[in-house]
């Protein structure tokens, strides 16, 4: 996709297109995804690799098929974003995830909205995860939000705030049949705990481990701060409704 070099618009038309390596997206790029991108067997790379970029927009109603049953690496993301800012991802679907559907790390000003994730895949590895923000190297993700998304059938977490999220949140999402619904977790030494996370007006059904959870585990230490959980609809969960430890 030539326009992924930056300062342009990539249009992926209707149809199914097999991808054999990660597409790098640079600053000031819009990606209009209308068709389906299918990651080939044993590709074990993200469909989109985005690092140190600004002003990125994904839209269009299309689908990322991650072909999870035929991947073996936790690098098999739908989108991997690192140290990016001003990112909008909306109105697309991610299916058959082996690991994260979309994972921004150490990013600022990211909004993921009206995205559907249906992991489907449960097999060797059992990593299937939905949407997650993360910190890295002591740098948190800041002002990152997940709103009005639908997430189904993840073996792990539907929405995660991992190793440091500041002024972030999840609002108005629908989560069904996921091991953990929404989780705030720090478990790596040197990364900050989360501060100022809002979990509001989400519907979480049939979580087998916990609908909403917070945790700081070794070798990390300390506590999360200013976590607000309100107005959520949690029901029919075989596991815990709330699991709050720090």
């Amino acid at each position: 996709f030539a326009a992924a070099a930056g300062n342009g618009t990539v249009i992926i038309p209707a149809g199914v297109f097999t991808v054999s390596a990660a597409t790098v997206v640079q600053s000031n790029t819009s990606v209009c995804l209308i068709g389906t991108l299918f990651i080939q067997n044993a590709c074990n790379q993200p469909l989109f690799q985005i690092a140190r970029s600004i002003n990125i927009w994904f839209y269009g109603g299309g689908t990322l098929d991650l072909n999870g049953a035929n991947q073996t690496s936790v690098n098999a993301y739908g989108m991997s974003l690192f140290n990016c800012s001003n990112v909008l991802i909306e109105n697309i679907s991610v299916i058959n995830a082996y690991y994260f559907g979309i994972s921004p790390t150490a990013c600022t000003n990211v909004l993921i909205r009206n995205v559907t994730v249906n992991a489907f895949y449960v097999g060797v590895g059992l990593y299937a995860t939905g949407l997650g923000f993360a910190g890295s190297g002591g740098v948190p993700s800041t002002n990152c939000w997940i709103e009005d998304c639908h997430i189904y059938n993840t073996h792990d977490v539907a929405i995660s705030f991992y190793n440091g999220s500041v002024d972030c949140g999840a609002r108005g999402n629908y989560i069904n049949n996921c091991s953990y619904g929404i989780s705030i977790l720090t478990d790596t030494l040197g990364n900050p705990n989360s501060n100022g996370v809002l979990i509001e007006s989400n519907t979480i059904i049939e979580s087998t481990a916990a609908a909403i959870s917070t945790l700081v585990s070794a070798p990390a230490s300390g506590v999360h701060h200013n976590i607000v959980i309100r107005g959520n609809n949690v029901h029919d969960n075989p596991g815990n409704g709330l699991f709050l430890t720090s």
Side-chain angles (χ1 to χ4, degrees):
F1 307 120
N7 299 302
T9 298
V10 179
I11 299 176
I12 301 170
V16 178
F17 305 92
T18 299
V19 178
S20 60
T23 296
V24 176
V25 179
Q26 298 185 8
S27 293
N28 305 308
T29 299
S30 299
V31 179
C32 179
L33 175 65
I34 300 170
T36 296
L37 295 182
F38 178 84
I39 193 166
Q40 75 172 21
N41 291 358
C43 180
N44 293 319
Q45 299 180 49
L47 275 173
F48 289 100
Q49 184 80 53
I50 310 166
R52 300 176 181 86
S53 297
I54 62 171
N55 304 328
I56 304 295
W57 181 24
F58 280 84
Y59 65 103
T63 299
L64 305 180
D65 187 339
L66 305 187
N67 187 19
N70 294 295
Q71 308 301 319
T72 57
S73 170
V74 295
N75 294 318
Y77 290 26
M79 296 184 198
S80 175
L81 300 95
F82 178 75
N83 197 16
C84 297
S85 62
N86 303 333
V87 177
L88 173 59
I89 302 168
E90 62 181 347
N91 302 321
I92 65 170
S93 296
V94 181
I95 63 174
N96 298 325
Y98 182 81
Y99 199 42
F100 275 104
I102 300 173
S103 180
T105 299
C107 291
T108 302
N109 301 332
V110 177
L111 174 59
I112 302 173
R113 69 182 176 198
N114 296 319
V115 169
T116 297
V117 178
N118 199 335
F120 286 147
Y121 172 61
V122 177
V124 176
L126 302 176
Y127 289 115
T129 303
L131 309 171
F133 295 112
S136 177
V139 178
S141 282
T142 304
N143 192 32
C144 295
W145 293 84
I146 298 172
E147 298 182 346
D148 300 318
C149 294
H150 289 69
I151 306 170
Y152 306 89
N153 304 319
T154 66
H155 180 81
D156 203 346
V157 184
I159 295 174
S160 66
F161 299 93
Y162 180 60
N163 281 341
S165 295
V166 175
D167 298 329
C168 297
R171 292 186 291 216
N173 301 287
Y174 179 87
I175 298 168
N176 193 343
N177 193 34
C178 299
S179 182
Y180 290 87
I182 301 173
S183 181
I184 304 170
L185 169 66
T186 303
D187 65 0
T188 304
L189 194 64
N191 281 307
N193 297 319
S194 291
N195 188 349
V197 177
L198 174 63
I199 301 173
E200 180 179 46
S201 301
N202 302 282
T203 297
I204 306 171
I205 303 171
E206 297 183 352
S207 291
T208 56
I212 299 172
S213 62
T214 65
L215 178 66
V216 176
S217 64
S221 62
V223 297
H224 302 298
H225 296 277
N226 303 313
I227 308 302
V228 177
I229 301 170
R230 66 187 179 202
N232 299 284
N233 180 9
V234 175
H235 62 89
D236 295 329
N237 293 283
N240 297 289
L242 295 176
F243 183 78
L244 309 177
T245 62
S246 58

Short mmCIF file of all heavy atoms in Angstrom, two decimals, residues 7 13 26 37 50 56 60 70 73 82 95 98-99 105 116 140 151 161 165 171-172 183-184 187 206 214 218 223 236:
data_model
loop_
_atom_site.label_atom_id
_atom_site.label_comp_id
_atom_site.label_asym_id
_atom_site.label_seq_id
_atom_site.Cartn_x
_atom_site.Cartn_y
_atom_site.Cartn_z
N ASN A 7 1.26 10.96 4.73
CA ASN A 7 0.68 12.12 4.07
C ASN A 7 -0.24 11.73 2.91
O ASN A 7 -0.17 12.29 1.81
CB ASN A 7 1.78 13.06 3.56
CG ASN A 7 2.66 13.59 4.67
OD1 ASN A 7 2.16 14.22 5.60
ND2 ASN A 7 3.93 13.29 4.61
N PRO A 13 -10.23 -1.61 -1.17
CA PRO A 13 -11.59 -1.75 -1.70
C PRO A 13 -12.24 -3.06 -1.27
O PRO A 13 -11.65 -3.88 -0.56
CB PRO A 13 -11.35 -1.73 -3.21
CG PRO A 13 -9.98 -2.29 -3.38
CD PRO A 13 -9.19 -1.83 -2.19
N GLN A 26 2.82 5.32 8.35
CA GLN A 26 3.55 6.47 8.89
C GLN A 26 2.60 7.64 9.12
O GLN A 26 1.40 7.55 8.90
CB GLN A 26 4.70 6.82 7.95
CG GLN A 26 5.71 5.68 7.82
CD GLN A 26 6.92 6.04 6.99
OE1 GLN A 26 7.12 7.19 6.60
NE2 GLN A 26 7.75 5.05 6.70
N LEU A 37 -8.78 -7.80 4.95
CA LEU A 37 -7.38 -8.20 4.90
C LEU A 37 -7.23 -9.50 5.68
O LEU A 37 -7.59 -9.57 6.86
CB LEU A 37 -6.48 -7.12 5.48
CG LEU A 37 -6.43 -5.79 4.73
CD1 LEU A 37 -5.45 -4.84 5.41
CD2 LEU A 37 -6.06 -5.99 3.27
N ILE A 50 2.69 0.29 13.39
CA ILE A 50 2.69 1.75 13.41
C ILE A 50 3.53 2.19 14.59
O ILE A 50 3.21 1.87 15.74
CB ILE A 50 1.25 2.30 13.53
CG1 ILE A 50 0.34 1.65 12.49
CG2 ILE A 50 1.24 3.82 13.37
CD1 ILE A 50 -1.14 1.87 12.74
N ILE A 56 -3.16 9.47 12.67
CA ILE A 56 -3.52 8.24 11.97
C ILE A 56 -5.02 8.02 12.12
O ILE A 56 -5.57 8.14 13.21
CB ILE A 56 -2.75 7.03 12.55
CG1 ILE A 56 -1.23 7.27 12.51
CG2 ILE A 56 -3.14 5.76 11.83
CD1 ILE A 56 -0.65 7.38 11.13
N GLY A 60 -13.96 2.80 7.72
CA GLY A 60 -14.43 2.25 6.46
C GLY A 60 -15.34 1.05 6.51
O GLY A 60 -15.89 0.63 5.50
N ASN A 70 -3.99 -20.38 12.54
CA ASN A 70 -2.80 -20.71 11.77
C ASN A 70 -1.62 -19.78 12.07
O ASN A 70 -0.74 -19.59 11.24
CB ASN A 70 -3.13 -20.69 10.27
CG ASN A 70 -4.11 -21.78 9.89
OD1 ASN A 70 -3.81 -22.96 9.99
ND2 ASN A 70 -5.31 -21.37 9.48
N SER A 73 2.64 -16.99 17.00
CA SER A 73 3.43 -15.98 17.70
C SER A 73 2.52 -14.91 18.29
O SER A 73 1.52 -14.51 17.68
CB SER A 73 4.42 -15.32 16.73
OG SER A 73 5.02 -14.19 17.33
N PHE A 82 3.05 1.82 18.58
CA PHE A 82 4.02 2.15 19.63
C PHE A 82 4.40 3.61 19.55
O PHE A 82 4.80 4.12 18.50
CB PHE A 82 5.27 1.28 19.49
CG PHE A 82 6.33 1.61 20.50
CD1 PHE A 82 6.20 1.21 21.83
CD2 PHE A 82 7.45 2.36 20.14
CE1 PHE A 82 7.16 1.54 22.77
CE2 PHE A 82 8.41 2.69 21.08
CZ PHE A 82 8.27 2.28 22.40
N ILE A 95 -11.41 -10.07 13.46
CA ILE A 95 -11.87 -11.42 13.76
C ILE A 95 -10.68 -12.38 13.80
O ILE A 95 -9.62 -12.12 13.28
CB ILE A 95 -12.91 -11.92 12.73
CG1 ILE A 95 -12.33 -12.01 11.32
CG2 ILE A 95 -14.14 -11.02 12.74
CD1 ILE A 95 -13.28 -12.65 10.31
N TYR A 98 -5.29 -14.18 17.24
CA TYR A 98 -4.44 -15.08 18.02
C TYR A 98 -3.95 -14.38 19.28
O TYR A 98 -3.89 -14.98 20.35
CB TYR A 98 -3.23 -15.53 17.19
CG TYR A 98 -2.34 -16.50 17.94
CD1 TYR A 98 -2.66 -17.85 18.01
CD2 TYR A 98 -1.18 -16.07 18.58
CE1 TYR A 98 -1.86 -18.73 18.71
CE2 TYR A 98 -0.38 -16.95 19.28
CZ TYR A 98 -0.72 -18.29 19.34
OH TYR A 98 0.08 -19.17 20.03
N TYR A 99 -3.61 -13.11 19.18
CA TYR A 99 -3.21 -12.33 20.35
C TYR A 99 -4.04 -11.05 20.33
O TYR A 99 -5.24 -11.12 20.12
CB TYR A 99 -1.70 -12.08 20.31
CG TYR A 99 -1.11 -11.69 21.65
CD1 TYR A 99 -1.50 -12.33 22.83
CD2 TYR A 99 -0.14 -10.69 21.75
CE1 TYR A 99 -0.95 -11.98 24.05
CE2 TYR A 99 0.42 -10.34 22.97
CZ TYR A 99 0.01 -10.98 24.11
OH TYR A 99 0.56 -10.63 25.33
N THR A 105 0.66 0.94 22.52
CA THR A 105 1.61 0.91 23.64
C THR A 105 2.35 2.24 23.72
O THR A 105 2.87 2.73 22.71
CB THR A 105 2.61 -0.24 23.46
OG1 THR A 105 1.92 -1.48 23.44
CG2 THR A 105 3.63 -0.27 24.60
N THR A 116 -15.64 -3.76 16.32
CA THR A 116 -16.09 -5.08 16.74
C THR A 116 -14.91 -6.04 16.71
O THR A 116 -14.20 -6.12 15.71
CB THR A 116 -17.21 -5.61 15.82
OG1 THR A 116 -18.34 -4.74 15.93
CG2 THR A 116 -17.62 -7.02 16.22
N PRO A 140 3.72 5.54 30.25
CA PRO A 140 2.35 5.04 30.17
C PRO A 140 1.67 5.45 28.87
O PRO A 140 2.17 6.30 28.12
CB PRO A 140 1.67 5.74 31.36
CG PRO A 140 2.39 7.06 31.45
CD PRO A 140 3.83 6.76 31.08
N ILE A 151 -17.13 -6.67 21.82
CA ILE A 151 -16.03 -7.62 21.92
C ILE A 151 -16.58 -8.96 22.38
O ILE A 151 -17.26 -9.04 23.40
CB ILE A 151 -14.94 -7.12 22.88
CG1 ILE A 151 -14.49 -5.71 22.46
CG2 ILE A 151 -13.76 -8.07 22.91
CD1 ILE A 151 -13.62 -5.02 23.48
N PHE A 161 -5.94 -2.46 30.41
CA PHE A 161 -5.08 -1.31 30.67
C PHE A 161 -3.87 -1.87 31.41
O PHE A 161 -3.95 -2.19 32.59
CB PHE A 161 -5.82 -0.27 31.50
CG PHE A 161 -7.05 0.28 30.82
CD1 PHE A 161 -8.30 -0.29 31.05
CD2 PHE A 161 -6.95 1.34 29.94
CE1 PHE A 161 -9.43 0.20 30.41
CE2 PHE A 161 -8.09 1.84 29.29
CZ PHE A 161 -9.33 1.27 29.54
N SER A 165 -1.61 3.13 32.51
CA SER A 165 -2.53 3.94 31.72
C SER A 165 -2.92 5.15 32.56
O SER A 165 -3.33 5.00 33.72
CB SER A 165 -3.78 3.14 31.33
OG SER A 165 -3.44 2.06 30.48
N ARG A 171 -15.81 3.18 27.91
CA ARG A 171 -17.20 3.65 28.10
C ARG A 171 -18.11 3.05 27.05
O ARG A 171 -17.79 3.02 25.86
CB ARG A 171 -17.26 5.17 27.99
CG ARG A 171 -16.60 5.94 29.10
CD ARG A 171 -16.83 7.43 28.99
NE ARG A 171 -16.15 8.02 27.86
CZ ARG A 171 -15.60 9.23 27.87
NH1 ARG A 171 -15.64 9.97 28.95
NH2 ARG A 171 -15.01 9.71 26.79
N GLY A 172 -19.26 2.55 27.50
CA GLY A 172 -20.31 2.16 26.58
C GLY A 172 -20.03 0.94 25.74
O GLY A 172 -20.62 0.77 24.67
N SER A 183 -9.81 -5.18 32.46
CA SER A 183 -8.79 -5.43 33.47
C SER A 183 -7.76 -4.31 33.50
O SER A 183 -7.31 -3.85 32.44
CB SER A 183 -8.10 -6.77 33.19
OG SER A 183 -7.12 -7.05 34.17
N ILE A 184 -7.38 -3.89 34.70
CA ILE A 184 -6.30 -2.94 34.92
C ILE A 184 -5.19 -3.71 35.63
O ILE A 184 -5.38 -4.18 36.76
CB ILE A 184 -6.76 -1.74 35.77
CG1 ILE A 184 -7.96 -1.05 35.11
CG2 ILE A 184 -5.62 -0.74 35.96
CD1 ILE A 184 -8.63 -0.01 35.99
N ASP A 187 2.29 -5.77 35.97
CA ASP A 187 3.05 -6.93 36.46
C ASP A 187 4.50 -6.92 36.01
O ASP A 187 5.20 -7.94 36.11
CB ASP A 187 2.38 -8.24 36.02
CG ASP A 187 2.38 -8.45 34.52
OD1 ASP A 187 2.92 -7.59 33.79
OD2 ASP A 187 1.86 -9.48 34.05
N GLU A 206 -21.22 -12.99 30.83
CA GLU A 206 -20.60 -14.32 30.70
C GLU A 206 -19.08 -14.27 30.72
O GLU A 206 -18.41 -14.97 29.96
CB GLU A 206 -21.10 -15.02 29.44
CG GLU A 206 -22.60 -15.30 29.46
CD GLU A 206 -23.09 -16.06 28.24
OE1 GLU A 206 -22.31 -16.24 27.30
OE2 GLU A 206 -24.26 -16.48 28.24
N THR A 214 -8.86 -5.36 38.92
CA THR A 214 -7.64 -4.55 39.05
C THR A 214 -6.62 -5.38 39.81
O THR A 214 -6.96 -6.10 40.75
CB THR A 214 -7.90 -3.24 39.81
OG1 THR A 214 -8.28 -3.52 41.16
CG2 THR A 214 -9.00 -2.42 39.14
N ALA A 218 3.65 -9.14 41.37
CA ALA A 218 5.11 -9.16 41.33
C ALA A 218 5.61 -9.46 39.92
O ALA A 218 4.99 -10.22 39.18
CB ALA A 218 5.63 -10.21 42.31
N VAL A 223 0.14 0.52 44.11
CA VAL A 223 -1.29 0.44 43.85
C VAL A 223 -1.66 1.33 42.67
O VAL A 223 -0.93 2.25 42.30
CB VAL A 223 -2.11 0.87 45.10
CG1 VAL A 223 -1.86 -0.05 46.28
CG2 VAL A 223 -1.80 2.32 45.47
N ASP A 236 -24.80 -12.55 34.60
CA ASP A 236 -24.62 -13.90 34.04
C ASP A 236 -23.14 -14.24 33.87
O ASP A 236 -22.74 -14.87 32.88
CB ASP A 236 -25.35 -14.03 32.71
CG ASP A 236 -26.86 -13.92 32.86
OD1 ASP A 236 -27.37 -14.32 33.92
OD2 ASP A 236 -27.51 -13.40 31.94
#
